[in-house]
Structures are given as structure tokens and as C-alpha cells.
Amino acid sequence: MRKSVLAAALVAVLGIAPAGACGLHGTIDNPFTISHPGSLGVALGTRQAVVDGQLAALPEVDVETASRRLDERLEQLRARLERAGLRGGFALLVVEFGHWTRFAASANRVRMVTHATPMIDDPVLLTSEPALAALLDGHLAAAAAERSGLVRWAGNAPPAALSESLLTALAAGV
């Protein structure tokens, strides 16, 4: 009884939501939501990069437009991963929205499943929408994003082939 009351209080005060919840779809209304270890560091790094002028702040838009914009970026990443010959799979968390997406290679295709939390052995890639936008638009190199904490692997370490294909996909002009 005491544990359930404490859990309910944490949900109410801190905005900690169940796994798989997404801020774009009305479940979370707290930018400091804890959705995965390391996500707060990515969010704070993103904010600092915007303040320092390393990343462009994305225009504030309504939820439907933000969702559509993120879906387009994720589809762009999926297509690039396919062209880069992704091997394996991983889960991606866009930290400010708590938005999960799983990418998995199968033959010459890459399958993308949105709102799918990681499998137990999935490598997890944490990033933010401004960082993802800068990477896909060629304004930020993947290695620089990783060094500055704007992109961070969490959970199981990714195999070298997965990291290599992701870096290739994020390189400008792929």
C-alpha cells in the first residue's frame, strides 16, 4: 500500500510516466520527465547547445505539427539507415517527447516501429529533436554530437557494424 502511494506521488509530482508514453500524444506534460537513464543529460546538453548557438532552436508548434515534423525526421533517418546498410537494430529515444522508435534491419530493408520501447537486449540511442534535425540537415557531425553528449548510447553497447552504419547514415549527403 505504501509503495503504491509513493509511486502515485512520484507520477504526480515528477511526471514520471509509464514506459512507452509519449509527450506528443498528451500523456506527458513535463519536460523533465525521466524516461530512460541518460536522457536528462542529453536534454540539458541540447539546451546548452541551443543557448551557445551550436544548435538551432526549433520553432514552437502545436502538437499535431510537432508530431508530423518528428515523424518526417524519423522516416528520413529510416531511409538513410536503409541506404547505409544498417545491420542489426536499436531503439531511439527522442528525449524531450519521450518518443520511442525501434529500427531493425531485415535483408535490405529497415523497419521502423514508432512508440515501441526497446527490447531487453537492444542498444538504445538517446537524442533530442534539435540534435536529430541538425544531424539530418548536415549542420552537425555525428562524432561531434556524440562528443558533446547530444547523442548518447545507453543500455547494451552497440556492435561496431551498427555504430558504423549509423554514422554513415548521419553523414551529410547520404
Side-chain angles (χ1 to χ4, degrees), residues 37-125:
S39 60
L40 184 58
V42 171
L44 293 174
T46 298
R47 177 69 185 136
Q48 191 61 51
V50 168
V51 167
D52 293 345
Q54 295 173 304
L55 285 180
L58 298 177
E60 289 193 29
V61 294
D62 61 84
V63 172
E64 185 178 319
T65 303
S67 182
R68 190 172 42 252
R69 180 179 68 196
L70 182 58
D71 287 345
E72 288 169 3
R73 291 191 200 290
L74 293 170
E75 175 54 33
Q76 185 180 2
L77 177 59
R78 188 210 61 75
R80 284 187 177 196
L81 289 167
E82 196 168 89
R83 287 191 303 269
L86 177 71
R87 290 189 227 150
F90 66 98
L92 174 96
L93 175 63
V94 179
V95 299
E96 69 269 33
F97 301 126
H99 188 284
W100 286 101
T101 305
R102 292 189 71 241
F103 295 90
S106 175
N108 293 331
R109 309 241 347 142
V110 172
R111 183 171 171 223
M112 177 177 82
V113 181
T114 59
H115 306 292
T117 55
M119 302 296 277
I120 210 152
D121 58 348
D122 276 347
V124 172
L125 185 65

Side-chain angles (χ1 to χ4, degrees), residues 8 57 156:
N156 292 326

Side-chain angles (χ1 to χ4, degrees), residues 76-77 80 83-84 134-143 164-174:
Q76 185 180 2
L77 177 59
R80 284 187 177 196
R83 287 191 303 269
L135 286 161
L136 292 170
D137 295 343
H139 300 294
L140 178 64
E164 184 178 318
S165 57
L166 182 63
L167 289 173
T168 301
L170 292 174
V174 172

